[in-house]
Amino acid sequence: MSYQLAGRTLHGAGLAPMAGLTDLAMRRIADSHGAAFTVSEMVSAKALVMGDEKSRTLCTHTAGSGLYGIQLFGSEPDVMAEAAALVAEAFHPDFLDLNLGCPAPKIAGNGAGSALMRTPDLCGRLVESIVKAGLPVTVKMRTGYDTGHLNAPEVAQACVQAGAQLVAVHGRSRDQQYTPPIYPEQIARVVQAVNVPVLGNGDIHTAQDALALMHATGCAGVLVGRGAMGNPWLFAEIDAAVRGLPLPPAPSLEQRMALLCAQAKAMCEEKGEVNAMRQMRGQAAFYMKGLRGAAKLRGLSTGLTVYEDAEKLAALVLALNSGEADEE
Ligand SMILES: Cc1cc2nc3c(=O)[nH]c(=O)nc-3n(C[C@H](O)[C@H](O)[C@H](O)COP(=O)(O)O)c2cc1C
């Protein structure tokens, strides 16, 4: 099971774009743990065109061994064309991705993200605008705007006709947000509707989850978001499972805590300690999943303020989980 993107043959899982989570540090971690590709956090086409420096910072190339894409959001074809040309020239990504899935009111309320699924024709025109930048174009969508309008196959066809080379589908509609179980049959409808690779997405936490989704839908690969946070080893596990190879050994707790500290350090270098540690609170909570004292540890994660707090948290995790410290 493989698929083509930007002239490469890929297997298994890419890192799903996640605003506030898949920053440069996380993308580099995913890349070095075997992600087939990484994608930037969503970036506003309008803000880029207006010269917003923070938006440009979001675009920094992962510069790893896997492919790198920049995801744009917006609803105006002219602005989209200008933003696509700008990032292609400035950052040299391997591909550009169009966000057709964001449910957040400040995005969808302005006609972008998942709101675009109500107008497949406009989705197509936006893809056409991005294609002009001369890079492969991918789209990431939901199953529909709401559960009464599950039109992902129609939107996918409009995008492919306009030049999209790959379609990723998060198996929920906008109104379902992030929690109810995904609907593999809706991803399968998209697989049937287009002749480009389709990637399935949603709730993949193990290599078995990835294989099950691929078998249930016929999708060519998967995108992993939350499941890879604090557990980037999942990429190598999925890669092995897809190739029919034995899974690599699970990481030790020491390895996981060393990665937590390395991630915090890389984030501090990238965006300064204050911003980095604020964002690290969310990242650290993922590392605490399934540990002894997880509730207390997640509580401590919310208090991370300086880099040394990450080291202290890691040391406490190791102590609690080797029985050297009292859980209370
Ligand atoms: C905090 C957060 C931020 C997200 N930001 C984006 C984004 O910028 N662009 C996008 O296409 N999807 C975004 N998503 C959706 C994810 O890419 C993915 O489709 C969704 O989380 C389901 O996959 P998962 O269960 O593997 O996390 C975001 C999800 C979360 C939880």
Side-chain angles (χ1 to χ4, degrees), residues 16-21 40-42 71 97 99-102 140 142 170 172 178 201-205 223-227:
M18 291 190 290
L21 291 175
S40 71
E41 302 169 69
M42 62 178 176
Q71 187 189 63
D97 184 64
N99 183 317
L100 299 176
C102 182
K140 178 165 176 286
R142 286 185 172 245
H170 174 191
R172 297 183 177 94
Y178 296 100
N201 168 240
D203 293 348
I204 292 172
H205 294 276
L223 268 185
V224 179
R226 291 163 295 180

